[in-house]
Amino acid sequence: MTDRPRLAVIGAGPAGLAAALAAAAQGVRVTLVDAGAEAGGQFYRQPAADLGARHPQALHHQWRTWERLRDGLAAHVAAGRVSHLTDHHVWCVEGASGAFAVHALRGPEQEEPVTVRADAVLLATGGYEKVLPFPGWTLPGVVTAGGAQAMLKSGLVLPGRTAVVAGTGPLLMPVAVALAAAGAKVAALVESADPRAFVRHARVLAAHPDKLAEGARYAAGLARHRVPVHVRHTVVEAHGTGRLEAVTVAALSADGRVETGSERRVPCDSLAVGHGMLPHTDLAETLGCRLDGLGVAVDDEQRTDVPGVWAAGETTGIGGAALSLAEGRIAGLSVAARLDSRTPAPSSYARAAKTRAGLREFFAVVDSVCAPPARWAERIGDDTLVCRCEDVPASAVREAVDELGAADVRTVKLLTRAGMGWCQGRMCAPAVAGLAGCPPAPSRRPFARPVPLGVLAREPGESP
């Protein structure tokens, strides 16, 4: 088995698992590298074993799919076709076609260097949440919508006893229903988009009855738990002394302005807020992969423009678990065909390719309807922090543009330090770009995460 081609899959979420299983089934020796203690990624995040959760499936709506992936991975690992490296935090990938080195930090302290060498690399690094600032968003008790979901899935804890779920996008409904089912009082679900806009896309929606049924189940869950739903509304401010105590919610006009007199205060001790997702592209950028908009550009086989590098899932564009599974399967089959100089039967691609095409069209509609509200930047006061790592207020960003002549995000960063902190702009970059009136730009970071100088100074070891 040691002479078989080697593939390094980075990320063990839906896309990475589907790719690893598809490639291994075709005879490719796969190393699956993931930062998590268990496979599954954010979507299939599991409670810690010590918590003794009796019914973890209650926190997921695609549990059978997860069981197939989990069992398939276990079988390939047992047969020696897949090596699953957990708690490996990849910070850089370098090399060219046929000779790649995946550099990672192993362990909870992320200080032990490891290098995995492979003939090909598949990037399945997922996405992260986009949060736009507003007055009070830094108060304790304000978390991202995905953060609230992660707390519930992995820790079986609630972010608070009385919650408001706000922002825009398809994540809000499942988060609100999950919090309510777990015992929280969900005082409001606040969605800035107008659902009536979906009517214009009836043809696309009708082609996905499963997605419509899923939405209907969540809507029924909201009704069952008596969660008030406010569409074309937004949270304009969070209030509290020391921690969150309430939020002000207001209606939005068609052009995105707050309707005068519509403001009302909603008492709560937690706010789960999110404005969609963004692809993780750090590793792809270090390899020189071309981006298409915000995601990694790929062809019909999920190949990037860098020979030997494939990408699948949210890193190529946000589209949910089902799309990630389809892209991952296509990528895994493509890797096997390219490395072994054989072509899978057309039927191997056909079903996944059809699923991919349909879901890409569906989520393009979702993105157009659930865009962040227009004029959101106008509601940010000068004293509102935009970059939390470096304590940069909105006034500094505005001054950099209006008085110092900054015309792009990089110049704003140099003048204000916005984006120079621990997260390297992952949290604040969309807000800085929006405030500055500049398009978001690739960061081109040399490393995907902070790396101790001692690690850079010594030769890393190798994992099997």
Side-chain angles (χ1 to χ4, degrees), residues 234-256:
T234 190
V235 170
V236 295
E237 187 171 358
H239 312 277
T241 303
R243 67 164 293 111
L244 181 68
E245 298 172 3
V247 297
T248 293
V249 175
L252 295 172
S253 63
D255 63 356

Side-chain angles (χ1 to χ4, degrees), residues 27 68 146 306 327 362 406:
R68 288 195 295 271
V306 175
E327 291 188 355
F362 178 85

Side-chain angles (χ1 to χ4, degrees), residues 412-459:
V412 172
K413 177 179 180 178
L414 293 173
L415 292 172
T416 67
R417 293 193 59 82
M420 290 190 180
W422 182 260
C423 82
Q424 287 292 287
R426 290 172 182 83
M427 288 294 293
C428 67
V432 172
L435 277 174
C438 305
S443 59
R444 302 294 181 187
R445 303 181 186 93
F447 305 143
R449 62 176 60 246
V451 184
L453 290 176
V455 169
L456 299 177
R458 66 180 189 263
E459 182 70 18

Side-chain angles (χ1 to χ4, degrees), residues 137-420:
W137 76 299
T138 59
L139 280 170
V142 180
V143 297
T144 65
Q149 188 180 58
M151 291 173 66
L152 188 57
K153 283 184 175 181
S154 62
L156 304 180
V157 295
L158 295 168
R161 300 180 64 88
T162 303
V164 170
V165 180
T168 188
L171 182 60
L172 301 187
M173 289 179 67
V175 169
V177 171
L179 292 177
K185 176 186 176 183
V186 181
L189 190 158
V190 183
E191 167 63 69
S192 64
D194 186 350
R196 292 175 297 182
F198 282 110
V199 175
R200 298 195 300 270
H201 307 281
R203 178 192 62 81
V204 175
L205 299 182
H208 297 276
D210 55 332
K211 290 294 182 183
L212 297 179
E214 183 180 327
R217 287 195 297 271
Y218 285 129
L222 294 173
R224 184 169 62 253
H225 293 289
R226 299 182 180 180
V227 177
V229 178
H230 306 285
V231 298
R232 283 182 57 185
H233 279 65
T234 190
V235 170
V236 295
E237 187 171 358
H239 312 277
T241 303
R243 67 164 293 111
L244 181 68
E245 298 172 3
V247 297
T248 293
V249 175
L252 295 172
S253 63
D255 63 356
R257 289 187 170 91
V258 170
E259 295 184 356
T260 304
S262 68
E263 300 91 343
R264 64 191 187 90
R265 195 178 178 104
V266 180
C268 60
D269 60 5
S270 63
L271 169 63
V273 61
H275 298 92
M277 301 277 292
L278 295 170
H280 262 306
T281 60
D282 292 355
L283 294 177
E285 290 173 37
T286 63
L287 283 164
C289 299
R290 182 174 64 87
L291 301 186
D292 182 7
L294 297 176
V296 180
V298 293
D299 65 9
D300 289 344
E301 294 183 31
Q302 299 297 136
R303 293 180 298 171
T304 73
D305 62 337
V306 175
V309 180
W310 282 254
E314 309 277 43
T315 191
T316 68
I318 305 304
L323 177 56
S324 294
L325 289 169
E327 291 188 355
R329 175 167 175 74
I330 292 170
L333 292 172
S334 174
V335 170
R338 298 292 174 176
L339 292 184
D340 280 355
S341 299
R342 65 174 186 267
T343 304
S347 59
S348 300
Y349 287 105
R351 184 174 180 181
K354 183 178 180 181
T355 298
R356 178 181 62 185
L359 287 173
R360 283 181 176 175
E361 186 179 30
F362 178 85
F363 279 99
V365 168
V366 172
D367 285 345
S368 67
V369 172
C370 296
R375 302 181 182 277
W376 62 266
E378 297 176 3
R379 297 192 293 274
I380 299 178
D382 282 345
D383 59 346
T384 300
L385 284 183
V386 176
C387 173
R388 301 174 69 165
C389 297
E390 294 292 319
D391 291 330
V392 179
S395 59
V397 176
R398 289 171 173 145
E399 179 184 3
V401 174
D402 298 337
E403 299 182 22
L404 301 179
D408 55 64
V409 174
R410 182 176 182 275
T411 305
V412 172
K413 177 179 180 178
L414 293 173
L415 292 172
T416 67
R417 293 193 59 82
M420 290 190 180

